[in-house]
Amino acid sequence: MEKGIPLNDQDRIPWLCHLHDILMREHASGQNTILACSALKKRYRCILENGEAGTNCQNSSGREEPASQKILFIHLDGPMELIAHRLEKRRGHFMPPELLKSQFDALEAPSAPENFITVSLEKPVSEIVSIIEEYVRNRYG
């Protein structure tokens, strides 16, 4: 990505499986964990939930499996122009702004039965954090 080349699924899958292992280790030890990553596709979120078994997000009947309730996905939603403006302000970040379009092209927004909430990036950061904290408190509190 540093070189302006988007990652493909083969690049991402081992990394996502490793993140799954970290999440499950922390869960098994009784820890709540926050992980920030761009799980742009449903398949990526399935891998975060199920590890390597999540590379195929369907059961034998061909219907999608219900999402694990262990992981809450927070979909930070905003227009490309807003995100592009924020990317331009970043210094020293590995992802160049030129890759933003490829990220939007790959995006499969979460949908039922995935366990997620969508929060608008057009709100102030403090309000975004408050919305997420309130949701977590009310749902898992």
Side-chain angles (χ1 to χ4, degrees):
M1 291 183 77
E2 269 182 289
K3 295 177 182 171
I5 302 168
L7 299 176
N8 61 33
D9 285 357
Q10 285 65 41
D11 297 323
R12 293 177 194 268
I13 289 173
W15 174 70
L16 292 166
C17 287
H18 179 70
L19 294 176
H20 162 80
D21 292 345
I22 292 169
L23 290 169
M24 293 306 105
R25 181 189 70 221
E26 295 302 310
H27 177 73
S29 69
Q31 296 296 311
N32 294 318
T33 305
I34 296 173
L35 168 72
C37 78
S38 56
L40 298 170
K41 296 181 180 182
K42 180 178 178 86
R43 181 178 188 202
Y44 302 165
R45 296 185 295 273
C46 287
I47 294 168
L48 287 172
E49 291 179 320
N50 303 300
E52 194 171 336
T55 58
N56 179 6
C57 291
Q58 297 183 344
N59 63 23
S60 58
S61 69
R63 290 188 306 215
E64 292 177 356
E65 292 283 356
S68 162
Q69 297 300 302
K70 290 182 208 162
I71 297 177
L72 170 66
F73 293 99
I74 299 170
H75 176 215
L76 299 173
D77 186 39
M80 190 181 316
E81 298 76 27
L82 173 65
I83 297 170
H85 178 71
R86 291 182 181 175
L87 277 175
E88 288 170 9
K89 291 175 149 184
R90 283 195 212 179
R91 297 292 170 246
H93 194 271
F94 67 89
M95 190 186 113
E98 298 78 38
L99 286 182
L100 181 60
K101 183 174 180 338
S102 72
Q103 300 282 289
F104 268 84
D105 290 346
L107 177 63
E108 297 170 4
S111 61
E114 292 179 274
N115 186 31
F116 74 98
I117 61 169
T118 297
V119 182
S120 173
L121 285 173
E122 295 180 287
K123 299 178 183 304
V125 172
S126 60
E127 189 176 341
I128 292 170
V129 171
S130 293
I131 290 168
I132 295 166
E133 287 176 335
E134 182 178 346
Y135 183 89
V136 170
R137 223 179 357 262
N138 291 337
R139 175 98 189 250
Y140 302 100

